[in-house]
Amino acid sequence: MSDRYFEPDAETMPRDQLDELQEEKLLGDLLPWAYKRSPLVRATWDAAGVSIDDVTSMDDFREKAPFVDKDAIRRFRDTSNDRYGGLLCVDPLRAGGPFTAVFSTSGTTGDPTLVPSVTSGPSILTREFWEMGCRPGDYFVEMLFTYRGPGIHHTIRGIGATPVFVDHSPFEFPNVYRLSRELRPTGWYTMSTPLILALEQMAPAMGIDPRDMFASYKGVIYAGEPLGARARALLDEWGVNFFVHTGVADVGAATECREHDGCHIWEDIAFVEVLDPDGTDPVADGERGELVGTTLVDKIAPLVRYRSDDLVRVTRERCACGRTHARMWPVGRKSDEIVVDGVSVLPGDVWPAIESVAETEAALFQVIRPARELDRLRLRVGFASEGPHGLADVRDRVIDAVEACVGLVPDVELVPNEVLLRQGPPHKIPRVTKQ
Amino acid sequence: MSSTVRMPPPDVWGVGRVAVGGEMIPWPVSHADVDDETDSHVATMRRLGVGEGDVVVICSLLSEAIHVFPLEQAANAVGARYSSTDATEFDAFRTAAMVSQVSPVAVIGVNRDVVTGLRGAGRDLREVFGPVKVVVAADEDAREALEGAGLAPRRWLKLGPVSGFECAERDGVHVDGSRVRVMTTEDGGLLVTTTVPRLTPCVDLATGLHGEVIERPCACGSTDPRIRMVPAPG
């Protein structure tokens, strides 16, 4: 068995066994647990006229189980005076129980919702860190924020490595440079677009040689938002072996393996479906659809058939790495889509156009989306400089590039990059705004 | 499920950082160090009024992990739960959101960036933190801002690899005298020594902070030494 697997039996489990395991975990354990204890699950199923007794097979689950989404959780929270949005399945007043902390979602799409959590032990990301090539005794840079709790510390220790704590801020690069040369870490969690672009700008003044800084790393996890071509090129130029990492419908995370051919979804902890974004029918393998997730392991605040709003492509074809679990490619957010003159536009569609203009190459931009269907495509675009011919010229070149890319002539408002960066969180900015 | 390898965790829990003479230096700590700091901060939690069934919001930066993780563990040790927010301008909205959503008995670690972020978002500090019994400032700017809003913040002070908190008397930061000794230089510079075994020895470490050490018992009854901050000379 190859040394690249942390849990070889689980990671390479034949598809039929994986399907059986999912059925056993979902129908035999998680679903009865959630149905009995989660006020949101019970209310949603009652409203849909579906009982747990109606679901005796995975086909039943796919056909009958009603959906929840983030708005439903917020609505339940606000109308039921339940701070956990009806998700909690354990007694919050029981001291010493398994529920030791209350974290929160990023808040990128609205107010953060609560994530009751267990804070001991490593997460399943041990598989990813191991696949990157990190091994016991290594140092591992954790460049992160705190609102998701200490799970990554535990996970780094879970592979026998030692975390080195730094903030997710460009002003940390001098520290990271020094630590990288002294400790020779092999792993880094996480790099983001704002950090990549800041490193490019600040490295000369900080006396940092990015190639030297990244020389010891076997893998750097990239997360936050889709990786643009320009940021990707910079990572390549610096010799960074980066691994794209993304969330899985708030029931897990997915990361590329060394093949860099899609992010592995760990299907022994999550049951995922890819459905028509405007309906309930599944899309074909590899086709674009909305990711719907059901946890198979979270008994504290389980999500059952959670419509994530994330548009993805998923394949269940075996990866060249030998793993059998599904792989996904994030496309964008369903609620980010606008339709102008019948043309569907996602932020990712205009991204290459904006980074093709030198003054806006950081690709800090927002789509103005007061409604889904619009007469005009409106963009707020960050600029680094006014260029040789002034902002009117920059605006004209952005308009031309966007038109060439999506066939629509946009209205463009230019603002300094800093204005958009202040809208954080630091690893990404809201790509869509109502005004 | 079989695994390729199951190594015991290394002795080093993690590499944090500590201010030494105005410079931040890497500071490895062991599991035993973290456990010992946790034991020390159980008393801190009780002093802050955090007990069984409560939630405490801890506002911090990841680079402060060697100081913060023991606080998180100590909160769990007294039967409470904790919630984490980033001590940055960007994430100040989350601190406000957590205060309204989880009704914490204490918020630890409000710093100048959080104050700036909240003000920038048009939030009134008294409105945000008024419902919280105990608000703890992580720096002097935040303390002044919170006091200016009519609140009575306590102070959290990081002294090398350890930290201390004010009690309800707000008359100096208590440090754990059974584990830490604090001395002053002629110009009031604070030197810290850990008097229990630690992975990284800390002997008369120049913290870059200035203050006076009060040895007499506090009105709260504690006989631990306290630190009153004073401005740096010059």
Side-chain angles (χ1 to χ4, degrees):
Chain A
M1 187 65 78
S2 165
D3 180 48
R4 73 187 296 177
Y5 309 123
F6 187 71
E7 295 180 286
D9 293 350
E11 293 174 47
T12 62
M13 182 179 288
R15 168 53 58 181
D16 57 340
Q17 288 180 28
L18 197 47
D19 291 344
E20 280 174 26
L21 179 68
Q22 289 192 318
E23 180 168 350
E24 184 186 318
K25 284 187 168 183
L26 179 59
L27 302 186
D29 188 17
L30 193 284
L31 190 58
W33 172 276
Y35 184 80
K36 186 175 177 185
R37 294 170 177 80
S38 162
L40 177 66
V41 168
R42 179 57 74 91
T44 305
W45 285 51
D46 286 351
V50 181
S51 157
I52 187 81
D53 297 330
D54 299 328
V55 177
T56 59
S57 68
M58 293 303 279
D59 284 342
D60 284 344
F61 183 77
R62 290 186 186 94
E63 285 169 23
K64 298 172 185 172
F67 301 101
V68 296
D69 60 18
K70 192 155 281 183
D71 285 341
I73 297 168
R74 288 181 177 131
R75 221 170 20 245
F76 196 96
R77 178 192 70 191
D78 297 340
T79 58
S80 305
N81 196 27
D82 176 342
R83 64 176 61 160
Y84 301 108
L87 292 171
L88 202 60
C89 288
V90 295
D91 179 0
L93 298 178
R94 188 184 141 223
F99 156 41
T100 55
V102 187
F103 302 123
S104 49
T105 57
S106 69
T108 311
T109 60
D111 60 335
T113 55
L114 301 181
V115 183
S117 303
V118 180
T119 54
S120 62
S123 78
I124 207 159
L125 281 173
T126 45
R127 295 178 185 173
E128 277 89 337
F129 294 172
W130 192 265
E131 166 70 4
M132 289 198 308
C134 303
R135 292 293 181 268
D138 289 356
Y139 285 101
F140 194 120
V141 164
E142 185 180 350
M143 188 176 207
L144 202 55
F145 17 77
T146 61
Y147 65 81
R148 287 284 171 85
I152 298 297
H153 319 348
H154 295 311
T155 304
I156 292 168
R157 278 189 290 276
I159 61 162
T162 298
V164 180
F165 305 108
V166 293
D167 302 326
H168 197 87
S169 160
F171 299 105
E172 286 281 59
F173 281 128
N175 288 325
V176 176
Y177 192 28
R178 185 172 79 169
L179 289 164
S180 296
R181 290 197 291 182
E182 288 176 6
L183 303 176
R184 311 301 293 168
T186 58
W188 179 319
Y189 186 102
T190 63
M191 181 55 78
S192 63
T193 294
L195 285 184
I196 294 167
L197 300 173
L199 179 60
E200 182 197 21
Q201 285 190 346
M202 299 162 77
M206 288 176 164
I208 294 171
D209 172 359
R211 286 194 70 87
D212 185 31
M213 183 166 81
F214 289 115
S216 66
Y217 293 89
K218 293 179 177 168
V220 172
I221 297 270
Y222 171 88
E225 58 183 359
L227 182 61
R230 181 172 157 65
R232 186 179 288 270
L234 283 168
L235 291 175
D236 286 339
E237 181 186 322
W238 296 332
V240 180
N241 189 12
F242 59 91
F243 294 75
V244 173
H245 173 72
T246 185
V248 178
D250 287 1
V251 295
T255 312
E256 288 180 335
C257 67
R258 285 181 232 165
E259 307 300 326
H260 299 288
D261 188 19
C263 301
H264 285 272
I265 299 170
W266 298 118
E267 293 185 272
D268 51 337
I269 65 159
F271 173 67
V272 296
E273 302 165 85
V274 186
L275 305 182
D276 175 353
D278 298 316
T280 59
D281 292 335
V283 302
D285 192 83
E287 293 297 312
R288 175 166 140 174
E290 182 180 2
L291 185 65
V292 178
T294 299
T295 180
L296 299 177
V297 291
D298 179 3
K299 289 194 163 179
I300 294 173
L303 287 169
V304 176
R305 268 206 137 184
Y306 176 72
R307 292 200 79 128
S308 67
D309 193 50
D310 290 328
L311 299 175
V312 299
R313 289 189 303 107
V314 169
T315 182
R316 287 184 169 79
E317 286 180 8
R318 188 187 187 97
C319 180
C321 72
R323 293 180 177 85
T324 50
H325 296 243
R327 285 167 289 145
M328 68 179 261
W329 292 262
V331 176
R333 276 183 184 275
K334 185 174 74 173
S335 58
D336 286 355
E337 183 189 45
I338 59 169
V339 179
V340 184
D341 288 341
V343 177
S344 164
V345 180
L346 283 166
D349 297 329
V350 298
W351 197 305
I354 290 170
E355 66 183 2
S356 73
V357 175
E359 294 80 0
T360 64
E361 66 182 6
L364 295 166
F365 70 93
Q366 294 178 316
V367 177
I368 314 297
R369 187 185 188 273
R372 181 170 179 269
E373 307 227 357
L374 298 168
D375 296 332
R376 296 279 293 179
L377 170 60
R378 291 173 56 206
L379 301 171
R380 179 173 296 124
V381 180
F383 64 89
S385 75
E386 297 188 4
H389 306 295
L391 285 182
D393 172 66
V394 174
R395 183 181 297 108
D396 287 345
R397 283 187 282 129
V398 170
I399 289 170
D400 290 347
V402 172
E403 185 183 9
C405 192
V406 298
L408 296 166
V409 178
D411 293 336
V412 172
E413 173 196 358
L414 292 174
V415 297
N417 280 344
E418 295 71 28
V419 171
L420 294 176
L421 282 173
R422 273 200 293 273
Q423 296 188 23
H427 62 312
K428 57 184 175 182
I429 65 166
R431 292 292 174 179
V432 169
T433 180
K434 285 187 176 173
Q435 52 188 357
Chain B
M1 298 282 168
S2 66
S3 297
T4 303
V5 65
R6 289 292 188 197
M7 296 292 290
D11 289 341
V12 183
W13 179 84
V15 180
R17 74 172 61 154
V18 158
V20 179
E23 188 190 357
M24 302 304 288
I25 65 163
W27 197 275
V29 300
S30 69
H31 290 265
D33 295 346
V34 169
D35 290 345
D36 193 49
E37 279 295 287
T38 299
D39 289 345
S40 172
H41 282 304
V42 166
T44 297
M45 287 297 150
R46 295 201 171 111
R47 217 178 273 145
L48 293 172
V50 178
E52 192 167 320
D54 291 334
V55 179
V56 54
V57 170
I58 304 177
C59 184
S60 69
L61 298 170
L62 188 62
S63 58
E64 298 169 327
I66 64 168
H67 295 100
V68 172
F69 189 73
L71 296 174
E72 296 169 349
Q73 297 288 94
N76 287 160
V78 299
R81 298 185 171 93
Y82 66 91
S83 185
S84 306
T85 64
D86 244 31
T88 59
E89 270 190 66
F90 292 118
D91 212 46
F93 82 97
R94 185 183 314 280
T95 299
M98 288 301 102
V99 168
S100 76
Q101 289 195 44
V102 303
S103 306
V105 296
V107 177
I108 295 172
V110 177
N111 68 1
R112 63 177 69 88
D113 290 336
V114 174
V115 167
T116 302
L118 289 172
R119 285 175 169 162
R123 301 299 301 269
D124 177 78
L125 296 178
R126 187 176 178 81
E127 177 204 329
V128 171
F129 295 114
V132 183
K133 282 184 187 165
V134 179
V135 180
V136 183
D139 58 45
E140 288 302 298
D141 289 347
R143 180 214 280 268
E144 285 175 20
L146 291 164
E147 283 177 344
L151 300 164
R154 301 187 195 179
R155 183 74 158 86
W156 173 32
L157 186 64
K158 292 179 280 292
L159 285 161
V162 299
S163 68
F165 287 78
E166 282 184 331
C167 67
E169 301 296 326
R170 300 173 65 223
D171 187 21
V173 171
H174 290 253
V175 293
D176 184 341
S178 66
R179 293 172 169 87
V180 179
R181 186 182 69 232
V182 183
M183 310 282 280
T184 53
T185 59
E186 281 186 4
D187 68 350
L190 294 171
L191 306 175
V192 64
T193 298
T194 48
T195 56
V196 289
R198 290 289 167 96
L199 178 67
T200 305
C202 175
V203 179
D204 286 340
L205 181 142
T207 61
L209 302 168
H210 289 76
E212 57 178 316
V213 180
I214 307 163
E215 299 288 357
R216 66 177 181 278
C218 177
C220 75
S222 166
T223 55
D224 278 331
R226 286 169 290 143
I227 311 293
R228 261 196 213 130
M229 298 293 290
V230 298

